[in-house]
Amino acid sequence: MQRPDTGFGTVSWARRFVKGTGRGLRGAGVAAAAGGGSDGGAVRATSGDLPSAEAVVRALARRGETLAVVESLTGGLLAATIVDVAGASAVFRGGLVAYATDLKASLAGVPDDLLAERGPVDPDVAVALADGGRSRCGSDWALATTGVAGPQPQGDKPVGLVYVALVGPGIREVRRLMLDSGRWAIRVGTVRAALRMLAERVVDAG
């Protein structure tokens, strides 16, 4: 599936893709709590267990909770998918697109020494991004994405390696993904995984 050439309707198309086939999502690894740096083990993910942005927004509204995002490789696609839902303003505080490595420190507050030691594509960096987004936006929950969309590897990090982090009330977790099928599919697969991660806490939990 190719992304439309026109910018008009791209967000709505992206949201339909996020709810759709799951193409390019090869597997999602569930990692241990942040701090250990564990990549976790691989598990399969199918379109049937991936939520819609609407379900996440409705669940947050029902719980009276708010959300912020910090994005690197997704470049605003996660935020755009969320705000494409009518009523998102009741729960979505805002977000940061920290694409450049130095902005992960200056905008999101990731420690400089952590970035220098690990680089931007790292599980602990992902959690630090989520921590920064939650603090700066004053939200109950924060999601963060960082990874390599390609077409070239980033140092020793292969194309398709992604970390998605979630921070919230009593929750600090990160997941490792290995995605494929090109830049667009990797970015969309990352958005889907982020929504699934939050849905497990706010939708599935009731």
Side-chain angles (χ1 to χ4, degrees):
M1 183 180 295
Q2 297 296 316
R3 178 171 45 172
D5 292 334
T6 176
F8 293 101
T10 299
V11 171
S12 294
W13 182 89
R15 184 153 59 90
R16 289 195 297 273
F17 191 98
V18 166
K19 293 164 61 179
T21 63
R23 183 178 303 173
L25 185 56
R26 194 165 65 210
V30 181
S38 171
D39 285 350
V43 298
R44 297 298 296 175
T46 64
S47 60
D49 64 6
L50 292 166
S52 68
E54 291 95 333
V56 170
V57 168
R58 286 196 301 268
L60 288 170
R62 184 173 62 250
R63 295 162 63 100
E65 295 175 340
T66 57
L67 172 66
V69 299
V70 180
E71 303 183 62
S72 183
L73 82 156
T74 46
L77 184 60
L78 177 56
T81 302
I82 294 165
V83 301
D84 200 39
V85 178
S89 60
V91 302
F92 187 64
R93 291 283 297 164
L96 307 170
V97 176
Y99 206 72
T101 298
D102 62 302
L103 293 184
K104 291 173 174 62
S106 61
L107 291 183
V110 178
D112 287 314
D113 57 351
L114 177 60
L115 287 167
E117 178 185 353
R118 307 276 190 85
V121 183
D122 177 82
D124 292 336
V125 169
V127 174
L129 287 169
D131 277 334
R134 187 185 186 206
S135 173
R136 283 157 172 73
C137 294
S139 61
D140 296 296
W141 298 91
L143 286 164
T145 67
T146 186
V148 185
Q152 300 299 323
Q154 187 171 323
D156 62 348
K157 307 297 173 62
V159 173
L161 174 62
V162 174
Y163 293 99
V164 179
L166 173 67
V167 172
I171 301 297
R172 288 167 60 81
E173 64 177 298
V174 61
R175 293 184 181 179
R176 179 185 186 272
L177 314 176
M178 278 304 301
L179 308 176
D180 58 17
S181 299
R183 283 180 61 85
W184 179 245
I186 289 169
R187 294 173 64 227
V188 170
T190 301
V191 170
R192 293 174 57 131
L195 290 173
R196 173 70 264 168
M197 197 171 184
L198 180 56
E200 289 170 1
R201 298 294 181 176
V202 301
V203 177
D204 299 349

